[in-house]
Amino acid sequence: MNQMTLLRHGETEWSRDGRHTGLTDMPLTPKGEDQARALAPLIAGLTFDLALVSPAGRARNTAELAGIKEYEIEPDLWEWDYGGYEGITTPKIREGRPGWYLWRDGVVPGDAGHPGESAEQVGARADRVIARAGTVEGDVVLVAHGHFLRVLCARWLRLSPQDGRLFRLDTGTYSRLGFEHGEPVILAWNAPV
């Protein structure tokens, strides 16, 4: 593989409001749709040997509005399962758990549809995506979610999944991962269009 282009989906109501959005399939807001369309000129100038998109509608919609016409749905690209914290903001969680920090403290189990994941479990999914991307000769594009892509970046750099905390990632942005002298590096991060 030459490089991976990462697209974080556009804004949703919950991402705008700071609510943890894991497995709940929230649609893009009008602003999120505009963010996705703004990625189209970037995508138009690139050729991908592999395009993988999260099953979430917000990711698929972003991919399509950005001009990615052919892609595969990759279940490993789902966002972190926030368990019992699904749909809740950090300030609200901290009312019951003062000082709570996702990257250090993790999540509590939720209902059957939101059992929750550890950072290590998200990291294992990221490792599988990286391994799959490594099987192609050319470039790869991934369309997914903020926390997941932050974990993927950490794993790309051979860091722990928790080190994803170091890589802020806004909605509707792109990033690129690649190599320098055969070693994995960040080529661009959290770049607006």
Side-chain angles (χ1 to χ4, degrees):
M1 178 187 58
N2 293 328
Q3 66 179 3
M4 269 192 293
T5 297
L6 314 178
L7 304 183
R8 181 178 176 197
H9 65 76
E11 177 192 84
T12 68
E13 180 183 333
W14 281 14
S15 68
R16 180 195 65 213
D17 297 343
R19 296 171 67 178
H20 289 86
T21 316
L23 304 181
T24 303
D25 205 357
M26 299 296 297
L28 297 177
T29 62
K31 177 182 176 181
E33 291 175 353
D34 289 343
Q35 289 174 321
R37 283 187 203 94
L39 293 164
L42 169 82
I43 296 304
L46 302 173
T47 302
F48 299 106
D49 293 307
L50 180 64
L52 301 176
V53 177
S54 163
R58 59 192 183 269
R60 291 185 325 235
N61 198 4
T62 296
E64 291 161 8
L65 289 171
I68 302 171
K69 302 203 185 320
E70 294 184 26
Y71 59 84
E72 295 179 45
I73 298 296
E74 175 50 67
D76 277 334
L77 289 174
W78 263 113
E79 178 61 296
W80 196 321
D81 178 356
Y82 299 116
Y85 294 147
E86 181 76 8
I88 303 174
T89 65
T90 295
K92 187 71 174 168
I93 295 166
R94 287 180 174 169
E95 289 177 12
R97 286 185 73 182
W100 175 82
Y101 186 54
L102 173 67
W103 300 97
R104 178 187 60 236
D105 303 318
V107 302
V108 296
D111 59 22
H114 303 91
E117 281 183 297
S118 68
E120 290 77 15
Q121 289 171 310
V122 179
R125 291 194 288 117
D127 288 345
R128 289 193 297 268
V129 172
I130 291 168
R132 182 165 181 208
T135 65
V136 302
E137 292 290 324
D139 294 342
V140 174
V141 63
L142 307 178
V143 184
H145 313 276
H147 280 125
F148 177 82
L149 291 172
R150 292 169 70 178
V151 170
L152 184 131
C153 178
R155 297 303 300 140
W156 176 256
L157 297 173
R158 301 181 188 131
L159 302 171
S160 76
Q162 291 85 349
D163 287 329
R165 75 186 187 285
L166 302 170
F167 308 107
R168 178 187 166 123
L169 191 57
D170 298 320
T171 57
T173 58
Y174 74 93
S175 302
R176 285 204 178 105
L177 304 177
F179 299 94
E180 180 182 53
H181 306 297
E183 293 298 316
V185 297
I186 297 172
L187 301 173
W189 191 259
N190 200 29
V193 288

